[in-house]
Amino acid sequence: MIITRRGFAALAPAGLAAATLPLPALAQTGGDYPNRPIRMIVGFAAGGGTDLTARTMQPKLQQALGGTILIDNRPGAGGNLATEMTVRAAPDGYTLLMGTIAALAINPTIYRNLPFDPAADLTPISQSGSILNVLVVPADRPWRTVADLVAAAKARPDTLTYGSSGVGGAGHLAGALLDQMAGITTVHVPYRGGGPLMTDMVGGKIDFSFSTAPTAIPQIEAGKLRALAVPTLQRSFLMPQVPTVAETLPGYEVGNWYALVGPKGLPQPIVDKLNAAMRATLADSDVRAHLARHGVEPTPSSPDELARFIRDETAKWAPIVRASGANAD
C-alpha cells in the first residue's frame, strides 16, 4: 500500500498519540498480556503451605494465561513484606500476591501501624483455596490428646512453646485461641514460613504447632510427628480418624485460606483474564487431586466475592484477635 505525504500527515497525529500513550492506559485493554514473566510473590519461605499451593497451581495457571509465572518467596513480618511489595508495584498485572488470611484479614488488627490497608490497597482477583491445619506434636512428646496437651500446659504455665509460620497467621491465631479457650498460657514462636517451622518441629525444638496439612502430613506419615486434632468444626475427610479441637473445647474453630490479589488499580481486562485463568486452573482434575492430597480445597471466586470475603473475615477476626491478646508489638 502506498501512502502519500498528505495521507501520512493525516495519519501521523493518531500514530504519535498511540506511540506516546502511557503504559497504564495501554494496559486498560489487556492487550497482549502477558508478554513477559509474571511475578507471584509468596510471603513465606519455600516448603510451607502457601508456597506448595502456589507451585501446584503454577504450571496450569501458566498454560491458561499463555505466559510464564515466577514464584518469588519473600518471607517476613507475617506476610507484610510481600504484601507491601505488591501494594507498591505497578498495577500492570506483572506483580501478584498469593495472599493468606494473615496478610489480607488479620494483620490490620495484629499490627497497629501498617503502611497500607489490604482491603483498600489491593485488587482482589480470586480466592485460591481453604487449607486444613493440623495440631501436631513431636513424636517423642507424651501427649496423645488435646486434653493431655492442655493438662501439661496448666501444670507448667508459660513453658510450652508453639510455633507458627508467622505472626497473625492461622497457626498463630489457633494457638492464641487455644490459650484463651483452655485457660492456659503458652509461648508463641513465629517462623518465616511452614518449612523452617517443620524442621524445628521434627527436631523437637517446639512443643506443638497448628501446621498446614501439606507440611505436616508427610511428617505424620513418617512417624516424626503425632496429630492430636484439627481446628475445624467437623473432622476432615483427609484425616477422619483425627478428632477436632472442638470435641474437647466446644466452639473452637480456626480456618485458613489463600487468595490471589494484585496492586490497586489493576485494569479490569487483566483482572478478568487472571480470574478466568484461576477458575480454569482450580477446575483442572490434576490440580484438584494434588491439592486434595495436601488438604487444600479449591475455592475459586469472583473478584467481588473475594472483596466481600476479605471484609467479612477482617470484621470476624478483629474482636477475637483483640480478646486473645495476640499482637506483633
Side-chain angles (χ1 to χ4, degrees), residues 242-294:
V242 177
T244 67
V245 177
E247 290 175 41
T248 300
L249 299 171
Y252 182 100
E253 180 187 18
V254 178
N256 194 2
W257 49 265
Y258 306 139
L260 187 68
V261 297
K264 180 181 179 180
L266 204 58
Q268 193 61 46
I270 291 179
V271 173
D272 293 342
K273 188 167 187 177
L274 286 166
N275 183 267
M278 283 288 289
R279 289 179 180 274
T281 298
L282 295 174
D284 181 83
S285 58
D286 290 340
V287 172
R288 294 181 70 87
H290 189 82
L291 291 176
R293 285 196 297 272
H294 293 292

Side-chain angles (χ1 to χ4, degrees), residues 8-324:
F8 180 81
L11 291 172
L16 287 173
T20 57
L21 196 61
L23 286 177
L26 287 172
Q28 296 298 323
T29 65
D32 58 350
Y33 173 85
N35 57 25
R36 55 188 171 89
I38 297 169
R39 178 174 61 155
M40 182 186 292
I41 304 177
V42 172
F44 302 92
T50 316
D51 179 70
L52 290 171
T53 299
R55 293 181 190 277
T56 296
M57 295 172 53
Q58 182 185 21
K60 292 294 183 180
L61 193 57
Q62 289 181 143
Q63 182 180 338
L65 284 171
T68 300
I69 296 174
L70 305 176
I71 306 297
D72 186 3
N73 296 90
R74 295 299 182 105
N80 285 341
L81 175 62
T83 306
E84 186 167 8
M85 289 177 67
T86 307
V87 167
R88 297 187 183 283
D92 55 12
Y94 291 99
T95 300
L96 306 174
L97 172 72
M98 183 59 74
T100 64
I101 182 176
L104 302 180
I106 305 301
N107 287 352
T109 302
I110 290 278
Y111 293 84
R112 298 176 183 176
N113 298 303
L114 277 182
F116 56 84
D117 177 359
D121 296 332
L122 294 167
T123 298
I125 296 169
S126 173
Q127 284 186 251
S128 303
S130 60
I131 186 167
L132 177 69
N133 277 38
V134 187
L135 172 56
V136 291
V137 299
D140 64 356
R141 300 303 198 269
W143 317 307
R144 297 189 175 276
T145 66
V146 173
D148 290 343
L149 180 63
V150 169
K154 286 184 175 180
R156 294 184 290 157
D158 297 306
T159 302
L160 268 61
T161 57
Y162 76 93
S164 79
S165 59
V167 172
H172 180 195
L173 292 180
L177 189 60
L178 181 67
D179 276 8
Q180 182 186 17
M181 292 185 67
I184 58 177
T185 52
T186 58
V187 180
H188 176 227
V189 182
Y191 286 77
R192 293 170 69 84
L197 164 62
M198 195 51 53
T199 298
D200 277 5
M201 281 294 302
V202 169
K205 296 180 180 179
I206 299 292
D207 290 309
F208 68 98
S209 71
F210 287 85
S211 291
T212 58
T215 57
I217 288 178
Q219 305 304 332
I220 295 169
E221 293 175 341
K224 297 178 180 179
L225 296 180
R226 181 182 304 117
L228 300 190
V230 293
T232 49
L233 287 179
Q234 304 295 327
R235 293 194 181 196
S236 169
F237 74 93
L238 198 65
M239 311 174 73
Q241 76 284 5
V242 177
T244 67
V245 177
E247 290 175 41
T248 300
L249 299 171
Y252 182 100
E253 180 187 18
V254 178
N256 194 2
W257 49 265
Y258 306 139
L260 187 68
V261 297
K264 180 181 179 180
L266 204 58
Q268 193 61 46
I270 291 179
V271 173
D272 293 342
K273 188 167 187 177
L274 286 166
N275 183 267
M278 283 288 289
R279 289 179 180 274
T281 298
L282 295 174
D284 181 83
S285 58
D286 290 340
V287 172
R288 294 181 70 87
H290 189 82
L291 291 176
R293 285 196 297 272
H294 293 292
V296 181
E297 179 185 359
T299 56
S301 71
S302 71
D304 287 344
E305 288 169 338
L306 176 55
R308 288 193 296 271
F309 181 73
I310 291 172
R311 288 195 298 268
D312 290 346
E313 284 286 279
T314 303
K316 168 187 171 182
W317 281 106
I320 298 173
V321 170
R322 295 189 187 103
S324 74

